[in-house]
Amino acid sequence: VIRCRAAVAWAPGKPLSIEEVEVAPPKTGEVRIKIVATGICHTDDHTLKGSLSSVEFPVILGHEGAGIVESIGEGVTSVKPGDKVIPLAIPQCGECSFCRNPESNYCQKSHFSEPQNVLPDKTTRFSCKGKQIHHFVWASTFAEYTVVPEYAVAKIDAAAPLDKVCLLGCGFSTGYGAAINTAKVKPGSTCAVFGLGGVGLSVVMGCKAAGASRIIGVDINKDKFAKAKELGATDCINPRDFQKPIQEVLTEMTGHGVDCSFEAIGHADTMV
């Protein structure tokens, strides 16, 4: 058992509390990881506020991290102690019908099929002050050590800087993948990106990589415009600078509207 620190969410609506927790060793098919870096996704904040009814408290949140394998359970073959890895919030077992289908990326063992508040054997590896602490989508990167199933771990390059590649665990993949895999942006197309945070900037990079000729960033915070243009945005506009609805502005700018539009804020109003 390893004793380490973790940010524990004891109840919805309560602030995170830094606690000493006990992390049990990995069982068969499991991997224990020393988390070196973690990002903070808005989903963690939604969960802390109680917006995700499937999550059980107390819980260790976090799902955007990177670290080093500390130990492995029996039967684990894809990673070994010392390997750099990224925990996967959406696992890839490689065996279910969804994993075998090239059109899908939602493994049937993921939290979309059933809540992942504990590990597959229905027990937790976390405890604190004599209480069992729940896992969060098998990642729980807000702890210095975490335990995950082998199929929820991706081995990465030994030279990868963990404080940067941790963003591959959620934010970057979400935005870049939306442009490349979901929208399948075509060369020469025109794109609009609503929201220039971590996900939105990743969308911008994806659109640029796909060959979009015009990428229009939309945000009410002008401080984000310089970074967006550095990463590939050709235009940046602030809706507050206009009297008319922003969609009318985009239509006037392009003559016909955009080919692809991405919502990276999380507001229903921007999708109406």
Short mmCIF file of all heavy atoms in Angstrom, two decimals, residues 123-151:
data_model
loop_
_atom_site.label_atom_id
_atom_site.label_comp_id
_atom_site.label_asym_id
_atom_site.label_seq_id
_atom_site.Cartn_x
_atom_site.Cartn_y
_atom_site.Cartn_z
N THR A 123 -14.50 -3.17 -6.81
CA THR A 123 -13.90 -2.67 -5.57
C THR A 123 -13.02 -1.46 -5.91
O THR A 123 -12.68 -1.22 -7.07
CB THR A 123 -13.04 -3.73 -4.86
OG1 THR A 123 -11.94 -4.10 -5.71
CG2 THR A 123 -13.88 -4.97 -4.54
N THR A 124 -12.64 -0.70 -4.88
CA THR A 124 -11.80 0.47 -5.06
C THR A 124 -10.40 0.21 -4.52
O THR A 124 -10.21 -0.64 -3.65
CB THR A 124 -12.40 1.70 -4.36
OG1 THR A 124 -11.49 2.80 -4.48
CG2 THR A 124 -12.67 1.43 -2.89
N ARG A 125 -9.42 0.94 -5.06
CA ARG A 125 -8.05 0.84 -4.54
C ARG A 125 -7.71 2.03 -3.65
O ARG A 125 -6.61 2.13 -3.13
CB ARG A 125 -7.03 0.79 -5.69
CG ARG A 125 -7.24 -0.35 -6.67
CD ARG A 125 -6.97 -1.72 -6.05
NE ARG A 125 -7.50 -2.75 -6.93
CZ ARG A 125 -8.73 -3.23 -6.87
NH1 ARG A 125 -9.55 -2.81 -5.90
NH2 ARG A 125 -9.15 -4.14 -7.71
N PHE A 126 -8.66 2.95 -3.47
CA PHE A 126 -8.43 4.15 -2.67
C PHE A 126 -9.14 4.08 -1.32
O PHE A 126 -10.29 3.63 -1.23
CB PHE A 126 -8.95 5.41 -3.39
CG PHE A 126 -8.27 5.72 -4.69
CD1 PHE A 126 -9.03 5.85 -5.85
CD2 PHE A 126 -6.90 5.90 -4.76
CE1 PHE A 126 -8.42 6.16 -7.07
CE2 PHE A 126 -6.28 6.22 -5.97
CZ PHE A 126 -7.05 6.35 -7.13
N SER A 127 -8.47 4.57 -0.28
CA SER A 127 -9.13 4.75 1.00
C SER A 127 -8.52 5.95 1.70
O SER A 127 -7.37 6.33 1.45
CB SER A 127 -8.99 3.50 1.89
OG SER A 127 -7.62 3.21 2.13
N CYS A 128 -9.33 6.57 2.57
CA CYS A 128 -8.87 7.75 3.30
C CYS A 128 -9.64 7.85 4.61
O CYS A 128 -10.88 7.77 4.60
CB CYS A 128 -9.09 9.01 2.45
SG CYS A 128 -8.60 10.55 3.24
N LYS A 129 -8.93 7.98 5.69
CA LYS A 129 -9.54 8.11 7.01
C LYS A 129 -10.50 6.96 7.28
O LYS A 129 -11.57 7.13 7.87
CB LYS A 129 -10.28 9.46 7.13
CG LYS A 129 -9.37 10.66 6.99
CD LYS A 129 -10.13 11.97 7.06
CE LYS A 129 -9.21 13.17 6.93
NZ LYS A 129 -9.95 14.46 6.94
N GLY A 130 -10.11 5.78 6.83
CA GLY A 130 -10.92 4.59 7.06
C GLY A 130 -12.11 4.43 6.12
O GLY A 130 -12.88 3.48 6.25
N LYS A 131 -12.29 5.35 5.17
CA LYS A 131 -13.41 5.29 4.24
C LYS A 131 -12.94 4.92 2.84
O LYS A 131 -11.85 5.31 2.42
CB LYS A 131 -14.14 6.64 4.19
CG LYS A 131 -14.80 7.04 5.50
CD LYS A 131 -15.54 8.36 5.34
CE LYS A 131 -16.24 8.75 6.64
NZ LYS A 131 -16.97 10.04 6.48
N GLN A 132 -13.77 4.17 2.13
CA GLN A 132 -13.48 3.83 0.74
C GLN A 132 -13.72 5.07 -0.13
O GLN A 132 -14.74 5.76 0.02
CB GLN A 132 -14.36 2.68 0.28
CG GLN A 132 -14.13 1.38 1.04
CD GLN A 132 -12.73 0.82 0.80
OE1 GLN A 132 -12.36 0.50 -0.32
NE2 GLN A 132 -11.95 0.72 1.87
N ILE A 133 -12.80 5.35 -1.04
CA ILE A 133 -12.93 6.48 -1.95
C ILE A 133 -13.16 5.94 -3.36
O ILE A 133 -12.47 5.02 -3.80
CB ILE A 133 -11.68 7.38 -1.92
CG1 ILE A 133 -11.32 7.77 -0.47
CG2 ILE A 133 -11.89 8.61 -2.80
CD1 ILE A 133 -12.37 8.60 0.22
N HIS A 134 -14.11 6.53 -4.08
CA HIS A 134 -14.43 6.05 -5.42
C HIS A 134 -13.43 6.53 -6.47
O HIS A 134 -12.76 7.55 -6.30
CB HIS A 134 -15.83 6.51 -5.83
CG HIS A 134 -16.92 5.89 -5.02
ND1 HIS A 134 -17.47 6.49 -3.91
CD2 HIS A 134 -17.56 4.70 -5.17
CE1 HIS A 134 -18.40 5.70 -3.40
NE2 HIS A 134 -18.48 4.61 -4.14
N HIS A 135 -13.35 5.77 -7.56
CA HIS A 135 -12.56 6.16 -8.72
C HIS A 135 -13.42 7.04 -9.63
O HIS A 135 -14.64 7.07 -9.52
CB HIS A 135 -12.12 4.91 -9.51
CG HIS A 135 -11.16 4.04 -8.76
ND1 HIS A 135 -9.84 3.90 -9.13
CD2 HIS A 135 -11.32 3.26 -7.67
CE1 HIS A 135 -9.23 3.07 -8.30
NE2 HIS A 135 -10.11 2.66 -7.39
N PHE A 136 -12.76 7.74 -10.54
CA PHE A 136 -13.47 8.57 -11.53
C PHE A 136 -13.02 8.14 -12.92
O PHE A 136 -11.86 8.29 -13.28
CB PHE A 136 -13.17 10.05 -11.29
CG PHE A 136 -13.88 10.97 -12.26
CD1 PHE A 136 -15.27 11.02 -12.30
CD2 PHE A 136 -13.16 11.79 -13.12
CE1 PHE A 136 -15.93 11.87 -13.19
CE2 PHE A 136 -13.81 12.64 -14.00
CZ PHE A 136 -15.19 12.68 -14.04
N VAL A 137 -13.93 7.58 -13.67
CA VAL A 137 -13.71 7.04 -15.03
C VAL A 137 -12.37 6.30 -15.15
O VAL A 137 -11.70 6.36 -16.17
CB VAL A 137 -13.85 8.12 -16.13
CG1 VAL A 137 -15.24 8.71 -16.12
CG2 VAL A 137 -12.82 9.24 -16.00
N TRP A 138 -12.02 5.58 -14.10
CA TRP A 138 -10.80 4.76 -14.05
C TRP A 138 -9.52 5.55 -14.21
O TRP A 138 -8.47 5.00 -14.52
CB TRP A 138 -10.84 3.66 -15.11
CG TRP A 138 -11.84 2.59 -14.83
CD1 TRP A 138 -12.44 2.31 -13.64
CD2 TRP A 138 -12.36 1.66 -15.76
NE1 TRP A 138 -13.30 1.26 -13.77
CE2 TRP A 138 -13.28 0.83 -15.07
CE3 TRP A 138 -12.16 1.43 -17.12
CZ2 TRP A 138 -13.98 -0.20 -15.68
CZ3 TRP A 138 -12.85 0.40 -17.73
CH2 TRP A 138 -13.75 -0.40 -17.02
N ALA A 139 -9.56 6.85 -13.99
CA ALA A 139 -8.34 7.65 -14.15
C ALA A 139 -7.89 8.23 -12.81
O ALA A 139 -6.80 7.94 -12.34
CB ALA A 139 -8.56 8.76 -15.17
N SER A 140 -8.74 9.06 -12.20
CA SER A 140 -8.44 9.66 -10.88
C SER A 140 -7.03 10.25 -10.84
O SER A 140 -6.20 9.88 -10.00
CB SER A 140 -8.64 8.63 -9.77
OG SER A 140 -10.00 8.27 -9.66
N THR A 141 -6.78 11.19 -11.75
CA THR A 141 -5.44 11.76 -11.85
C THR A 141 -5.17 12.86 -10.83
O THR A 141 -4.06 13.39 -10.78
CB THR A 141 -5.20 12.32 -13.26
OG1 THR A 141 -6.17 13.34 -13.54
CG2 THR A 141 -5.29 11.22 -14.30
N PHE A 142 -6.16 13.19 -9.98
CA PHE A 142 -5.93 14.16 -8.90
C PHE A 142 -5.32 13.47 -7.68
O PHE A 142 -5.53 13.89 -6.54
CB PHE A 142 -7.22 14.87 -8.50
CG PHE A 142 -7.74 15.83 -9.54
CD1 PHE A 142 -8.94 16.51 -9.33
CD2 PHE A 142 -7.05 16.09 -10.71
CE1 PHE A 142 -9.44 17.40 -10.27
CE2 PHE A 142 -7.54 16.98 -11.67
CZ PHE A 142 -8.74 17.64 -11.44
N ALA A 143 -4.58 12.40 -7.92
CA ALA A 143 -3.86 11.69 -6.85
C ALA A 143 -2.43 11.46 -7.31
O ALA A 143 -2.16 11.38 -8.52
CB ALA A 143 -4.53 10.35 -6.56
N GLU A 144 -1.52 11.39 -6.36
CA GLU A 144 -0.12 11.16 -6.74
C GLU A 144 0.10 9.75 -7.27
O GLU A 144 1.04 9.51 -8.03
CB GLU A 144 0.79 11.44 -5.54
CG GLU A 144 0.82 12.93 -5.17
CD GLU A 144 1.68 13.23 -3.95
OE1 GLU A 144 1.61 12.47 -2.97
OE2 GLU A 144 2.42 14.23 -3.99
N TYR A 145 -0.78 8.82 -6.90
CA TYR A 145 -0.76 7.46 -7.46
C TYR A 145 -2.19 7.04 -7.75
O TYR A 145 -3.11 7.40 -7.01
CB TYR A 145 -0.12 6.46 -6.48
CG TYR A 145 1.38 6.59 -6.35
CD1 TYR A 145 1.93 7.51 -5.46
CD2 TYR A 145 2.24 5.81 -7.12
CE1 TYR A 145 3.30 7.66 -5.34
CE2 TYR A 145 3.61 5.94 -7.00
CZ TYR A 145 4.14 6.86 -6.12
OH TYR A 145 5.50 7.00 -6.01
N THR A 146 -2.38 6.30 -8.82
CA THR A 146 -3.70 5.81 -9.17
C THR A 146 -3.58 4.40 -9.72
O THR A 146 -2.48 3.98 -10.13
CB THR A 146 -4.40 6.74 -10.19
OG1 THR A 146 -5.76 6.36 -10.34
CG2 THR A 146 -3.72 6.67 -11.55
N VAL A 147 -4.68 3.66 -9.71
CA VAL A 147 -4.70 2.29 -10.25
C VAL A 147 -5.78 2.22 -11.32
O VAL A 147 -6.92 2.67 -11.10
CB VAL A 147 -4.98 1.25 -9.15
CG1 VAL A 147 -5.06 -0.16 -9.75
CG2 VAL A 147 -3.90 1.30 -8.08
N VAL A 148 -5.42 1.68 -12.49
CA VAL A 148 -6.35 1.60 -13.62
C VAL A 148 -6.25 0.23 -14.27
O VAL A 148 -5.24 -0.44 -14.16
CB VAL A 148 -6.06 2.70 -14.66
CG1 VAL A 148 -6.12 4.08 -14.04
CG2 VAL A 148 -4.70 2.49 -15.31
N PRO A 149 -7.30 -0.20 -15.00
CA PRO A 149 -7.20 -1.44 -15.77
C PRO A 149 -6.16 -1.28 -16.88
O PRO A 149 -5.95 -0.17 -17.39
CB PRO A 149 -8.60 -1.60 -16.36
CG PRO A 149 -9.49 -0.73 -15.55
CD PRO A 149 -8.63 0.42 -15.09
N GLU A 150 -5.54 -2.37 -17.26
CA GLU A 150 -4.50 -2.31 -18.30
C GLU A 150 -5.03 -1.70 -19.60
O GLU A 150 -4.32 -0.94 -20.27
CB GLU A 150 -3.95 -3.72 -18.57
CG GLU A 150 -2.86 -3.74 -19.64
CD GLU A 150 -2.35 -5.14 -19.94
OE1 GLU A 150 -3.01 -6.12 -19.50
OE2 GLU A 150 -1.31 -5.26 -20.63
N TYR A 151 -6.29 -2.02 -19.96
CA TYR A 151 -6.80 -1.51 -21.23
C TYR A 151 -7.22 -0.03 -21.15
O TYR A 151 -7.71 0.52 -22.13
CB TYR A 151 -7.96 -2.36 -21.75
CG TYR A 151 -9.03 -2.71 -20.75
CD1 TYR A 151 -9.99 -1.79 -20.36
CD2 TYR A 151 -9.09 -4.00 -20.21
CE1 TYR A 151 -10.97 -2.12 -19.45
CE2 TYR A 151 -10.07 -4.34 -19.29
CZ TYR A 151 -11.01 -3.39 -18.92
OH TYR A 151 -11.99 -3.71 -18.01
#
